[in-house]
Amino acid sequence: MKMFAGVLCLAMAGAATARAAEPNSAVLTPIHQFIGSFNKGDLATARATHAADASIQDEVPPHVWRGPGAFDAWAADLGKASKAAGMTDESVALGKPLRIEVDGDAAYVVAATAFNYRQHGRRMTEAARMVFSLHQEPAGWKISAWAWAGEAPHPAAAHRAGAAAPPAAPAAKP
């Protein structure tokens, strides 16, 4: 009987771990919509994935945008910085989530990403991580904050024309 109870406990613990590790598609939906819309240049749809008082942290000066209008201010600053740097064909490749935590109406997601673009005609890529905080609102999950943590950009490796470079593999944990 003790053996059965032990096996049952292990099975229940394994099932709980498996459930905790399963991606929550509802939480990921606004993230995928944001990245997909950004890649298409559809800033209205990208903005709609964010909470009204969102906070954004990015490598583009002034680096932090908060509150109502944060998304539009970030997009304008990104556009200015991209133009000044000779950047075109910008897109973000979103990798598999590395971590998803959901606690009631709050969620935390970390994903590997790659920023791909042309700079003065030369293909460039920047491996990064994006960290998202989300809040469930009556209409669904909204991005309440996100941060970009990118490595130094470098020339992209030769690959099929029109294909986005895949996100970098996650680094080993210390």
Side-chain angles (χ1 to χ4, degrees), residues 77-88 90 120:
D77 289 334
L78 177 64
K80 286 182 229 168
S82 295
K83 186 175 181 179
M87 296 166 65
T88 60
E90 296 162 292
H120 304 293

Side-chain angles (χ1 to χ4, degrees), residues 11-160:
M12 289 174 64
T17 301
R19 274 193 306 274
E22 290 175 5
N24 184 325
S25 63
V27 169
L28 297 177
T29 296
I31 295 170
H32 288 288
Q33 288 174 337
F34 165 47
I35 299 300
S37 298
F38 172 83
N39 289 343
K40 291 177 189 172
D42 180 358
L43 296 182
T45 301
R47 179 189 320 104
T49 63
H50 289 67
D53 62 346
S55 176
I56 298 171
Q57 185 172 353
D58 197 357
E59 61 192 28
V60 176
H63 307 294
V64 177
W65 302 262
R66 292 184 201 100
F71 182 87
D72 290 331
W74 165 77
D77 289 334
L78 177 64
K80 286 182 229 168
S82 295
K83 186 175 181 179
M87 296 166 65
T88 60
D89 302 328
E90 296 162 292
S91 68
V92 174
L94 185 65
K96 249 182 135 172
L98 303 171
R99 182 175 177 186
I100 301 173
E101 300 289 335
V102 178
D103 185 26
D105 64 354
Y108 175 82
V109 177
V110 179
T113 58
F115 181 45
N116 303 297
Y117 56 95
R118 289 189 180 274
Q119 189 164 25
H120 304 293
R122 185 176 190 189
R123 284 187 303 110
M124 301 291 288
T125 191
E126 176 185 337
R129 297 282 191 268
M130 286 187 83
V131 177
F132 297 90
S133 295
L134 298 98
H135 186 266
Q136 189 164 26
E137 296 183 355
W141 289 97
K142 294 285 185 176
I143 300 168
S144 53
W146 62 263
W148 177 268
E151 299 174 4
H154 61 278
H159 63 281
R160 200 170 82 250

